[in-house]
Amino acid sequence: MSDPVLSLQGVHTDIAQYHILRGVDLEVPAGGVTMLLGRNGVGKTTTLRTIMGLWRAKEGRVVFRGEDIAALPTPAIARRGIGFVPEDMGIFSDLSVEENMTLAAVSGPIDAERLDWLQSVFPPLRTFWKKEAGTLSGGQKQMLSVARAMIEKRRLYLIDEPTKGLAPAIVATLAGALRALKQEGASILLVEQNFSVAKALGDTCAVMDDGRVVWAGEMATLAGDTALQERLMGLSMESA
Amino acid sequence: MTAAPDHAPTITGLSTWQRMQRHLPLLLVPLLVVVGYLAIPATSSWLTLTVSGLAMGMMIFIMASGLTLVFGLMDVINFGHGAFISVGAFVGVSILLALGSLTGAPSLALNIAAVLVAVAGAMAATAVMGWIFERVIVKPVYGAHLKQILVTMGGLIIVEQLILIVWGPDEIFFSRPEMLKGAITFAGAAIEKYRLLAVGFGLVLFLAMIWVLRSTKIGLIVRAGVQNGEMVEALGYRLRIVFVAVFIAGSALAGLGGVMWALYQEVITAHMGQEMMVLVFIVVIIGGLGSVEGCFIGALLVGLLQNYVGFIEPKVALISNIGLLVLILMWRPQGMLPVVKAK
């Protein structure tokens, strides 16, 4: 396994009076897809938001490419080269698709070639380029959310449940886009409930329970071991 | 890679009526003008009142536009905004009084030059004051609404007392520059020159603000930040810096509104900003928090309604804007064109 691009060491995070993360240790290897799995409410989203600095780690280190970013403000973390797709997509609904994409191009004007490629992957972005993002369907909003993160090359992408509630055709498209990112050499930390997507995309995997990572290893190992799946997550993913 | 199917978006599912409903508030101003026309017997009176109402609305808009963006961007309730209106008026009028040779000259160019110098001075003073106000008073209470109300009210009181110390306790009466006095006659109606100037200036300022918000990157960041500030930061933009810039710009605009209001009334007092804040808050609330367009429509409605009702039934004028507030909120509880949804 290659060196980690990101590592969390003993990260604790509180939200109001609740102690959500209770010592998360996690490594995301460079150039691969790491799946973050676990039941609802175990701290997956909190982990991503803590990495982005949207919720502050009370304790522990978040090391990105050798630098502890735990205390940095969110914009500084993003500008280190981390793209974030939140669970609620974070679309600016009163802005057009074009304006959403323009805003995401932080370093300057949109690269025409990359935009062309993204529009070929997600044709609705081209069709509804001038439309208000709030008028798009759920699947189209999710495409916009992922495309927005991809409009500039990032070193690491944090993506929170991109396929939730989407039709199979759109899930396949998103999976294809993530595969393309991987081919670009980007690292991805992906929270995903759809195990067939996780199995198809993941190189490594970490399973969380009660605010901690309770198992980490190769995705293939988990995918091939029903007993392990049942022990870690209380369900078999064999049929998925 | 599999390309996504080009699904039809939900917009195709919206009926024409549903799409029109979003833009209905835009019709309220012409509707009120028509109602005013039907309610006021003499056309000349209606014309005079309409121009007066539009001028008043433009000035309220200039004072309120910064406040709505400040609330939308950082969820900050600034009850001290009236301080910038008062300080702007006092600084502007002091400059005008010092430029008596220009304001008294029978030359429109010299008169306008004097007004522009006064406006520039007032805006510069209130911009600096806004920056200090944000750093010293607002910054320590981010995220705490009750504290924001108390602390910014305290700031307003302090500024008013400072005005009394510097300029004295008495009202200051003054005259408009020579060429801005008087009225022109149009279709039998007497229309004050200054009110026409205020309408034109307010409209230009509104269009300039819309251009900045819609056609520049900073405008894009502000509009996105009003909707979902957290996501703007996650993209890599430092929203705090943008907020401070908007706070300073909003303070300068309030100062500009103060000068314009002073020229409209030809008298200034330390409490004038505080008195205007009632109308400013009504406009911000009925417009929809964070919405410059809503603020503009709301300000015109308030200005027109106050003038029409004041002519038809002066005693009702005092409560007409509260009535407008109640009706708009019963129709749209989040205001006419709300932007702040994600907070």
Side-chain angles (χ1 to χ4, degrees), chain B residues 240-316:
Chain B
R240 281 274 167 98
I241 291 177
V242 176
F243 170 73
V244 173
V246 169
F247 197 96
I248 291 170
S251 307
L253 284 172
L256 167 62
V259 182
M260 291 182 71
W261 191 250
L263 283 164
Y264 184 63
Q265 300 285 61
E266 297 184 287
V267 59
I268 53 173
T269 70
H271 305 295
M272 62 182 281
Q274 196 180 346
E275 286 156 15
M276 287 306 295
M277 284 309 287
V278 176
L279 292 179
V280 166
F281 271 119
I282 289 175
V283 162
V284 169
I285 292 166
I286 65 175
L289 298 171
S291 166
V292 171
E293 290 93 336
C295 181
F296 182 72
I297 296 170
L300 295 187
L301 288 176
V302 164
L304 286 169
L305 190 68
Q306 182 131 330
N307 276 272
Y308 290 153
V309 177
F311 178 79
I312 296 166
E313 187 54 67
K315 285 180 185 168
V316 184

Side-chain angles (χ1 to χ4, degrees), chain A residues 64-77:
Chain A
F64 178 64
R65 301 179 77 233
E67 179 190 11
D68 188 353
I69 59 169
L72 291 180
T74 299
I77 294 171

Side-chain angles (χ1 to χ4, degrees), chain A residues 49 54 75 78-79 90 92-95 99 102-103 105-106 121 123 127-128 132 135 140 143 148 173 176 180, chain B residues 1-7 9-11 22 217 220-221 223-224 227-228 230-238 341:
Chain A
R49 289 179 62 86
L54 294 167
R79 283 183 180 265
F92 304 114
S93 52
D94 288 356
L95 270 56
E99 288 172 331
T102 303
L103 198 62
V106 179
V121 177
T127 309
F128 304 114
E132 270 187 20
T135 62
Q140 289 161 352
M143 288 181 212
R148 201 173 57 178
T173 303
Chain B
M1 184 188 301
T2 317
D6 197 353
H7 295 280
T10 49
I11 193 170
R22 291 183 65 198
K217 188 85 176 242
L220 204 54
I221 295 168
R223 284 165 61 212
Q227 287 181 55
N228 189 346
E230 187 178 273
M231 194 62 221
V232 172
E233 295 223 302
L235 287 175
Y237 298 102
R238 295 178 68 187
K341 296 165 190 162

